[in-house]
């Protein structure tokens, strides 16, 4: 990864960012939650949307534009707003 | 550190969650139960804001509270637990407030019992307050025991450790280079003279008085080499040394009663109790004493040091009737011998050897006079320095002649 890419990744607060490992997923820059169910969580992250699908999903932490999701995460989808 | 577990019911729960995210209300462990119901943990300080935000659109129910504050509230609401904790603290405080044991170290000639007795008189004893001033006790001990060189008192909880260092009584030493005599410190009949240095002035069987020279430190030099004036004498002064044993006589007089006072119980008695907690004593016998002459008998029921020094005893004050009875000769003799032993122990030095002991009874009016004669063999010599010019007149004159 180039330095510029890293800077964009770290400081761009208006882009969706998701980190998934094992049974935990971390969604950053969350502005709004659109769908919250035990098998699907959709969050609006500035200029895009993140959708996590799976089973037994629950939000372990919700604070400071960060949502920590735990459960069996099967699918991650990213949507961009139409311009 | 204060969390509430809440259940939130209402439509479009994601709106509420988004609003929480926007307002900075932290939520944890959000579990979606259905489309219009979920549970979450909310910080105590955010609770009011959340209720305000939810308004009438959502129904909030607190299912559980976690953290220090609810724990304290729960604990304080349990009266028996609070009472138990308070009792525990009181016991702990009392346990460390009294002396439960005293250990004495470093004693040699004194006995532990003697030291403990003196400590008790000074205010330090088993059961006394832990906050007794050790400096005051130490000063009191120094005042009472002359032999004490140093005393240290340390407290380890209820244990008091007393360390003593005994001093020795300084013996006045005579300078070895200074001439001296051995003089008699007691009068008696000479039994043996061991002159290591100097000239023996007394022989076996001589009677000496206090201050008599036993071994002289003045030696006459008999020089036959030069034909000096036969009248003039030359003296050499030495540091006399040696031992002189003499038979000394001790005479003690004591009195014995012809009659003895005997006690007889009349049968009248008053029962009572005594309760001692720490230094405080409450005894019924202290304020109920109708008898002129009485005897106090006690039986301890409880005697504990832990958790508090507590003594509970039942007692009985019985009335006594006193009457005089004549003592037998055997009783008088037995008592006199006991007195004689005590007097010997108090007055005759331990190093002295008792050779003979006799008791003479002289009955007088209502009393018997007992004369105790003790013959002992003991060392009576003591060094006494002198300055050469202090020699007897005839000897000093001679010396002046020589010079």
């Amino acid at each position: 990864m180039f330095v510029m890419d890293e800077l964009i990744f770290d400081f761009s607060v208006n882009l969706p960012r998701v980190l998934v490992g094992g049974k935990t997923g971390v969604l950053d820059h969350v502005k709004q939650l659109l769908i919250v169910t035990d098998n699907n969580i959709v969050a609006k992250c500035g200029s895009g949307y993140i959708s996590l699908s799976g089973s037994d999903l629950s939000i372990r932490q919700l604070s400071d534009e960060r949502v920590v999701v735990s459960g069996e995460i099967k699918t991650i989808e990213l949507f961009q707003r139409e311009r | 550190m204060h969390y509430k577990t809440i259940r939130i019911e209402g439509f479009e729960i994601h709106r509420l969650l988004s609003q929480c995210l926007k307002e900075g209300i932290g939520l944890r462990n959000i579990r979606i139960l259905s489309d219009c119901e979920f549970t979450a943990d909310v910080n105590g300080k955010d609770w009011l804001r959340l209720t305000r935000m939810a308004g009438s659109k959502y129904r909030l129910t607190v299912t559980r509270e976690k953290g220090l504050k609810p724990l304290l509230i729960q604990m304080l609401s349990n009266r028996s637990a609070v009472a138990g904790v308070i009792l525990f603290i009181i016991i702990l405080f009392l346990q460390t407030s009294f002396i439960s044991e005293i250990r004495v170290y470093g004693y040699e000639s004194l006995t532990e019992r003697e030291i403990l007795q003196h400590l008790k008189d000074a205010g330090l004893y088993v059961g006394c307050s832990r906050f007794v001033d050790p400096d005051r006790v130490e000063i009191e001990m120094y005042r009472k025991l002359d032999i004490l060189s140093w005393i240290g008192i340390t407290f380890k909880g209820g244990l008091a450790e007393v360390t003593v260092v005994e001093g020795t009584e300084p013996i006045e030493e005579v300078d070895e280079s200074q001439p001296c005599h051995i003089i008699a410190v007691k009068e008696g009949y000479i039994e043996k003279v061991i002159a290591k240095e100097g000239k023996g002035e007394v022989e076996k069987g001589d009677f000496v008085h206090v201050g008599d020279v036993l071994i002289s430190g003045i030696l006459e030099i008999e020089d036959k080499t030069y034909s000096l004036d036969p009248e003039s004498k030359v003296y050499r002064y030495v540091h006399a040394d040696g031992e002189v044993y003499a038979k000394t006589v001790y005479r003690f007089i004591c009195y014995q009663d012809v009659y003895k006072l005997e006690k007889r119980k009349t049968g009248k008695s008053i029962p009572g109790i005594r309760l001692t907690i720490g230094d405080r004593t409450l005894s019924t016998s202290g304020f109920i004493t109708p008898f002129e002459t009485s005897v106090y008998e006690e039986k301890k029921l409880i005697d504990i040091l832990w958790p508090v020094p507590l003594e509970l005893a039942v007692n009985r004050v019985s009335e006594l009737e006193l009457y005089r009875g004549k003592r037998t000769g055997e009783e008088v003799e037995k008592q006199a011998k006991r007195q004689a032993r005590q007097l010997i122990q108090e007055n005759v030095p331990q190093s002295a050897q008792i050779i003979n002991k006799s008791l003479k009874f002289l009955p007088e009016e209502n009393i018997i006079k007992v004369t105790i004669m003790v013959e002992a063999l003991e060392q009576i010599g003591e060094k006494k320095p002198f300055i050469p010019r202090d020699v007897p007149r005839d000897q000093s004159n001679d010396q002046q002649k020589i010079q």
Side-chain angles (χ1 to χ4, degrees):
Chain A
M1 193 184 284
F2 292 106
V3 176
M4 188 56 74
D5 296 333
E6 278 193 16
L7 282 170
I8 290 165
F9 185 79
D10 287 339
F11 295 103
S12 59
V13 292
N14 213 26
L15 291 169
R17 192 164 75 180
V18 62
L19 180 74
V20 176
K23 289 190 171 183
T24 305
V26 182
L27 279 68
D28 279 321
H29 309 148
V30 177
K31 309 290 183 204
Q32 194 181 353
L33 286 166
L34 300 173
I35 300 168
V36 181
T37 63
D38 58 348
N39 50 27
N40 189 20
I41 291 170
V42 179
K44 182 185 174 187
C45 306
S47 59
Y49 300 86
I50 301 172
S51 169
L52 294 180
S53 302
S55 57
D56 295 329
L57 295 182
S58 66
I59 299 169
R60 206 192 300 159
Q61 193 185 327
L62 178 81
S63 62
D64 302 329
E65 296 193 350
R66 170 170 285 190
V67 177
V68 181
V69 180
S70 65
E72 200 70 43
I73 300 166
K74 289 174 183 166
T75 316
I76 306 165
E77 288 173 287
L78 293 165
F79 306 99
Q80 286 295 320
R81 191 188 292 175
E82 285 181 15
R83 290 176 189 272
Chain B
M1 294 300 286
H2 177 207
Y3 279 92
K4 286 174 192 278
T5 302
I6 50 170
R7 191 171 71 236
I8 301 169
E9 295 161 280
F11 296 110
E12 294 181 324
I13 53 175
H14 62 273
R15 282 188 188 278
L16 183 67
L17 290 172
S18 298
Q19 217 167 341
C20 286
L21 201 64
K22 197 176 171 185
E23 296 289 331
I25 297 172
L27 294 176
R28 286 167 175 267
N29 301 326
I30 301 165
R31 292 191 175 278
I32 312 300
L33 304 175
S34 67
D35 288 345
C36 44
E37 189 181 5
F38 73 94
T39 60
D41 291 347
V42 62
N43 199 321
K45 64 182 179 185
D46 293 333
W47 166 246
L48 274 176
R49 283 202 295 155
L50 180 68
T51 49
R52 219 173 286 135
M53 196 192 295
S56 56
K57 284 184 184 172
Y58 301 93
R59 189 165 76 178
L60 276 65
T61 316
V62 179
T63 56
R64 200 176 149 199
E65 283 196 67
K66 290 183 277 187
L68 197 62
K69 192 180 168 184
L71 184 74
L72 281 172
I73 292 166
Q74 195 187 346
M75 276 170 66
L76 291 171
S77 63
N78 191 346
R79 286 179 189 176
S80 56
V82 172
V85 169
I86 292 168
L87 191 69
F88 173 75
I89 291 166
I90 290 169
I91 288 170
L92 201 69
F93 175 74
L94 290 173
Q95 176 69 10
T96 52
S97 299
F98 295 98
I99 298 297
S100 59
E101 191 182 348
I102 299 173
R103 286 184 195 162
V104 184
Y105 305 106
Y107 54 92
E108 287 171 7
S109 62
L110 291 165
T111 62
E112 188 177 3
R113 186 178 286 182
E114 277 178 321
I115 294 169
L116 287 174
Q117 185 57 46
H118 284 295
L119 282 169
K120 190 177 181 181
D121 295 341
L124 179 66
Y125 52 92
V126 173
C128 75
S129 170
R130 158 77 176 73
F131 305 103
V132 65
D133 184 8
D135 292 340
R136 196 179 54 78
V137 176
E138 282 173 16
I139 290 165
E140 197 66 26
M141 287 296 281
Y142 283 127
R143 198 174 291 157
K144 285 185 176 178
L145 294 169
D146 293 333
I147 200 167
L148 220 59
S149 283
W150 182 83
I151 182 167
I153 300 168
T154 51
F155 296 109
K156 289 179 180 171
L159 170 71
E161 286 187 329
V162 180
T163 309
V164 293
V165 178
E166 290 176 19
T168 49
E169 286 175 17
I171 300 163
E172 235 177 90
E173 287 287 334
V174 177
D175 187 6
E176 288 288 328
S177 61
Q178 192 179 359
C180 72
H181 294 307
I182 301 282
I183 61 155
V185 289
K186 280 179 186 172
E187 57 184 27
Y189 290 95
I190 298 297
E191 187 65 24
K192 193 164 58 175
V193 179
I194 307 165
K196 293 175 187 168
E197 184 82 52
K199 186 187 170 191
E201 295 286 339
V202 288
E203 288 182 358
K204 186 180 177 181
D206 288 353
F207 183 80
V208 291
H209 292 94
V210 176
D212 285 356
V213 176
L214 304 173
I215 301 171
S216 173
I218 303 167
L219 299 177
E220 189 184 332
I221 299 169
E222 292 177 8
D223 193 345
K224 291 170 183 171
T225 316
Y226 302 101
S227 55
L228 289 171
D229 181 3
E231 291 294 315
S232 66
K233 290 174 183 174
V234 181
Y235 293 99
R236 187 162 70 89
Y237 305 105
V238 296
H239 183 90
D241 193 11
E243 289 167 5
V244 180
Y245 291 91
K247 279 181 184 172
T248 53
V249 177
Y250 292 87
R251 186 164 173 268
F252 308 113
I253 293 171
C254 58
Y255 296 92
Q256 291 287 319
D257 277 330
V258 176
Y259 300 99
K260 61 183 174 185
L261 206 61
E262 289 191 357
K263 302 163 190 171
R264 190 193 293 151
K265 283 184 184 175
T266 59
K268 291 178 187 172
S269 63
I270 293 175
I273 58 162
R274 178 181 65 83
L275 178 70
T276 304
I277 303 169
D279 299 339
R280 302 292 171 90
T281 300
L282 179 74
S283 177
T284 52
S285 62
F287 44 85
I288 308 170
T289 47
F291 308 126
E292 199 174 327
T293 316
S294 60
V295 64
Y296 178 86
E297 291 162 313
E298 184 181 274
K299 189 183 177 185
K300 278 185 186 174
L301 299 177
I302 299 169
D303 184 7
I304 54 167
L305 285 170
W306 191 93
V308 283
L310 176 83
E311 275 184 33
L312 180 67
V314 287
N315 54 42
R316 184 172 287 275
V317 180
S318 308
E319 191 185 24
L320 289 180
E321 191 182 37
L322 303 173
Y323 67 96
R324 291 205 320 172
K326 198 165 185 180
R327 299 167 79 190
T328 62
E330 275 180 19
E331 277 180 328
V332 172
E333 195 177 341
K334 199 176 168 184
Q335 186 64 25
K337 279 183 178 172
R338 192 179 297 143
Q339 243 176 339
R341 277 198 296 274
Q342 197 180 344
L343 285 165
I344 289 168
Q345 200 177 358
E346 286 171 6
N347 298 292
V348 180
Q350 280 190 344
S351 57
Q353 183 190 342
I354 308 293
I355 301 168
N356 197 10
K357 185 173 74 181
S358 66
L359 278 79
K360 192 181 169 189
F361 298 90
L362 186 69
E364 291 179 10
E365 195 183 345
N366 291 338
I367 57 162
I368 300 167
K369 185 179 177 184
V370 185
T371 310
I372 303 157
M373 297 286 283
V374 179
E375 201 180 355
L377 181 69
E378 61 180 304
Q379 213 279 104
I380 60 161
E382 191 183 83
K383 287 179 181 179
K384 189 183 179 187
F386 67 91
I387 299 164
R389 67 168 177 272
D390 290 344
V391 296
R393 184 181 287 273
D394 57 333
Q395 290 179 1
S396 64
N397 288 342
D398 294 341
Q399 196 184 356
Q400 281 169 0
K401 280 176 195 173
I402 294 162
Q403 288 168 351

